[in-house]
């Protein structure tokens, strides 16, 4: 009898931990926690989006572009103005020099860039390696591509990989390594020696590297190192980023990727049949944003770092073990000091208990990783200062309420 393969949607749902063993389709943890937050009136520190807009000059640039008639399809690879601004950004901050005509594509957010890259470059019989915990869309798109998702664990308290385990995770079938740095959900920022080991192993196994660097400007006291700048990486690396996190315009969905022409051409072949193009006036506005002075980029990291510290204080007052992040929007805690080993169960209780919603880290893992991270919770601190102060005050009461 011929075995019936899972449908594409089932592979995507399984990859994102949405399909139960009995075939029941669940909702994402983000939807579940948001629903609980709305029902209870809780402060939602689950999903990572800001609650205030970014720079006024970028909004004004979008409004001007609309008024001036930039409202039809953009070129499939993005408007020239934005591609040139992306190239200038990569040169300015990292010394990289992608050709804006042949080595850059503008995408509908980083999510589309990741999806188009994986769907273009991997397929059945291939393995895609990520760190674990991993952002849930990675598992979904890897599943949709038909490739096998392999993981290497990140270990608390600093969420660095065990390099021996990382080496063991590679095989002759490893077609691509997908790296998120700075890392969601852990907040880790990987140093040069870790990234170089990934590059060396990828070269050894003939694997491509796809990097998700959307939090590149949101690091605290450490420097972001693009993988493409490391020895042996440029010829095999696709670098992905976006405007949403840097400029606090997540709803505009403007992302981009850069890399060697032969890889970018392959990805563009797939991308043009996904969205073709999107957000013409927003692309023009983000080109303006990428040209903002260094002081803007320095200030957003400093401001976000202060917000991290406000929320972390409330979490420590609650009796939780706080793992201080070096980047991103997120701080992780261990619930074990409160005698709680199941963060999923606590996450479901938390909105009613103290009026704050969070995301349990096990949902970002395969079963073995879920057990390893069973007591971890992730909180987002990309909110207004007064919201975080109120959330911190509420969380400080957790131990007593338990």
């Amino acid at each position: 009898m011929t075995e019936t393969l899972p449908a594409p949607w089932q592979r995507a749902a399984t990859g994102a931990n949405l399909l139960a063993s009995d075939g029941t389709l669940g909702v994402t943890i983000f939807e579940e926690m948001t629903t609980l937050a709305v029902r209870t009136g809780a402060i939602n520190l689950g999903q990572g989006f800001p609650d205030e807009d970014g720079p006024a000059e970028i909004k004004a640039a979008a409004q001007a572009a609309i008024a001036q008639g930039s409202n039809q399809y953009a070129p499939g690879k993005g408007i020239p103005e934005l591609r040139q601004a992306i190239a200038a950004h990569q040169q300015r901050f990292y010394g990289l020099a992608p050709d804006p005509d042949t080595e850059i594509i503008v995408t509908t957010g980083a999510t589309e860039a990741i999806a188009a890259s994986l769907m273009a470059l991997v397929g059945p019989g291939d393995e895609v390696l990520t760190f674990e915990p991993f952002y849930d869309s990675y598992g979904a798109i890897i599943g949709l591509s038909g490739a096998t998702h392999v993981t290497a664990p990140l270990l608390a308290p600093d969420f660095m990989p065990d390099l021996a385990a990382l080496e063991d995770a590679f095989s002759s079938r490893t077609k691509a390594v997908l790296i998120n740095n700075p890392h969601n959900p852990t907040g880790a920022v990987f140093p040069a020696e870790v990234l170089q080991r990934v590059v060396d192993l990828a070269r050894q196994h003939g694997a491509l590297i796809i990097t998700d660097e959307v939090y590149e400007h949101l690091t605290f006291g450490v420097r972001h190192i693009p993988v493409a700048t490391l020895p042996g990486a440029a010829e095999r690396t696709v670098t992905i980023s976006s405007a949403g996190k840097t400029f606090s315009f997540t709803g505009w969905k403007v992302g981009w990727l850069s890399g060697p022409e032969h890889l970018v051409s392959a990805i563009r072949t797939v991308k043009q049949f996904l969205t073709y193009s999107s957000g013409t006036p927003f692309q023009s506005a983000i080109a303006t944003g990428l040209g903002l002075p260094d002081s803007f980029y320095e200030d957003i990291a400093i401001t976000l770092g202060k917000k991290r510290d406000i929320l972390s204080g409330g979490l420590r007052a609650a009796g939780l073990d706080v793992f201080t992040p070096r980047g991103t929007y997120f701080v992780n805690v261990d619930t074990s000091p409160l005698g709680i080993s199941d963060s999923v169960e606590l996450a479901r209780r938390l909105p009613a208990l103290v009026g704050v919603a969070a995301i349990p880290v096990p949902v970002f893992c395969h079963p073995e990783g879920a057990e390893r991270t069973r007591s971890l919770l992730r909180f987002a601190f990309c909110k207004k200062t007064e919201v975080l102060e109120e959330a911190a005050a509420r969380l400080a009461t957790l131990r007593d309420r338990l």
Side-chain angles (χ1 to χ4, degrees):
M1 180 180 295
T2 302
E3 182 180 359
T4 302
L5 295 175
W9 73 267
Q10 291 172 315
R11 298 199 303 269
T14 300
N17 295 326
L18 295 181
L19 202 63
S21 57
D22 63 359
T24 303
L25 182 63
V27 299
T28 68
I29 192 66
F30 303 104
E31 182 176 347
E32 182 182 354
M33 292 301 112
T34 296
T35 299
L36 281 174
V38 171
R39 183 185 306 156
T40 60
I43 297 172
N44 189 355
L45 301 186
Q47 198 163 0
F49 60 87
D51 57 359
E52 53 190 335
D53 289 342
E57 56 262 57
I58 300 179
K59 287 199 291 185
Q63 292 164 343
I66 292 170
Q68 293 163 10
S70 297
N71 301 305
Q72 308 307 324
Y73 291 128
K77 58 185 178 181
I79 65 172
E81 180 187 4
L82 179 52
R83 285 185 279 113
Q84 291 161 7
I86 293 165
H89 170 276
Q90 295 301 87
Q91 177 66 54
R92 170 185 170 190
F93 287 101
Y94 310 123
L96 296 169
D99 186 322
D101 292 324
T102 61
E103 296 181 328
I104 293 173
I105 307 172
V106 177
T107 59
T108 304
T111 303
E112 187 194 33
I114 294 163
S117 297
L118 289 172
M119 294 173 71
L121 302 174
V122 306
D126 295 330
E127 293 179 351
V128 178
L129 173 61
T130 74
F131 288 131
E132 185 181 54
F134 52 86
Y135 183 53
D136 61 347
S137 77
Y138 298 172
I141 299 302
I142 293 168
L144 190 62
S145 76
T148 299
H149 187 183
V150 177
T151 63
L154 299 177
L155 306 175
D158 59 358
F159 295 107
M160 290 293 120
D162 178 301
L163 295 183
L166 174 64
E167 182 172 353
D168 289 343
F170 277 84
S171 78
S172 60
R173 295 172 59 195
T174 305
K175 185 63 178 292
V177 186
L178 174 54
I179 302 174
N180 179 205
N181 182 45
H183 186 265
N184 174 18
T186 68
V189 178
F190 302 118
E193 56 268 26
V194 168
L195 297 174
Q196 187 64 60
R197 186 60 182 145
V198 172
V199 173
D200 294 344
L201 287 167
R203 292 179 66 193
Q204 178 182 329
H205 292 273
L208 302 171
I209 303 171
I210 302 169
T211 68
D212 175 356
E213 303 183 12
V214 297
Y215 296 99
E216 60 186 311
H217 291 293
L218 303 178
T219 63
F220 317 121
V222 290
R223 184 172 62 93
H224 169 65
I225 302 172
V227 171
T229 63
L230 298 174
E235 66 270 19
R236 65 181 63 251
T237 300
V238 175
T239 303
I240 294 169
S241 194
S242 77
K245 302 301 192 293
T246 297
F247 300 117
S248 294
F249 291 118
T250 57
W252 290 10
K253 296 297 290 179
V254 178
W256 53 83
L257 62 84
S258 61
E261 182 177 357
H262 70 285
L263 295 179
V264 171
S265 295
I267 296 165
R268 187 170 64 244
T269 302
V270 171
K271 182 264 184 294
Q272 67 186 344
F273 297 111
L274 295 177
T275 60
Y276 178 65
S277 71
S278 58
T280 304
F282 298 131
Q283 290 189 32
S284 178
I286 295 307
T288 297
L290 288 172
L292 290 174
D294 289 357
S295 58
F296 164 78
Y297 292 94
E298 294 163 0
D299 288 348
I300 58 172
I302 291 170
T303 299
L304 192 62
K306 292 176 180 176
K307 293 181 176 184
R308 172 200 65 177
D309 295 343
I310 290 169
L311 182 60
S312 296
L315 293 166
R316 290 191 183 92
L320 298 162
D321 191 359
V322 177
F323 303 118
T324 301
R326 307 302 297 273
T328 77
Y329 282 169
F330 307 107
V331 59
N332 288 263
V333 301
D334 190 347
T335 63
S336 297
L338 296 179
I340 297 172
S341 60
D342 186 347
S343 62
V344 175
E345 189 268 341
L346 179 59
R348 288 175 172 144
R349 293 177 59 199
L350 207 57
L353 200 61
V354 296
V356 177
I359 299 292
V361 175
V363 303
F364 299 107
C365 302
H366 290 155
E368 183 179 343
E371 185 59 33
R372 185 178 59 252
T373 61
R374 191 165 180 260
S375 62
L376 303 187
L377 270 178
R378 188 197 78 172
F379 293 81
F381 50 85
C382 50
K383 308 298 180 182
K384 295 177 182 176
T385 297
E386 58 267 28
V387 172
L388 293 172
E389 289 172 343
E390 175 60 24
R394 294 182 185 186
L395 287 162
T397 69
L398 176 60
R399 181 160 33 191
D400 294 336
R401 292 179 184 274
L402 288 171

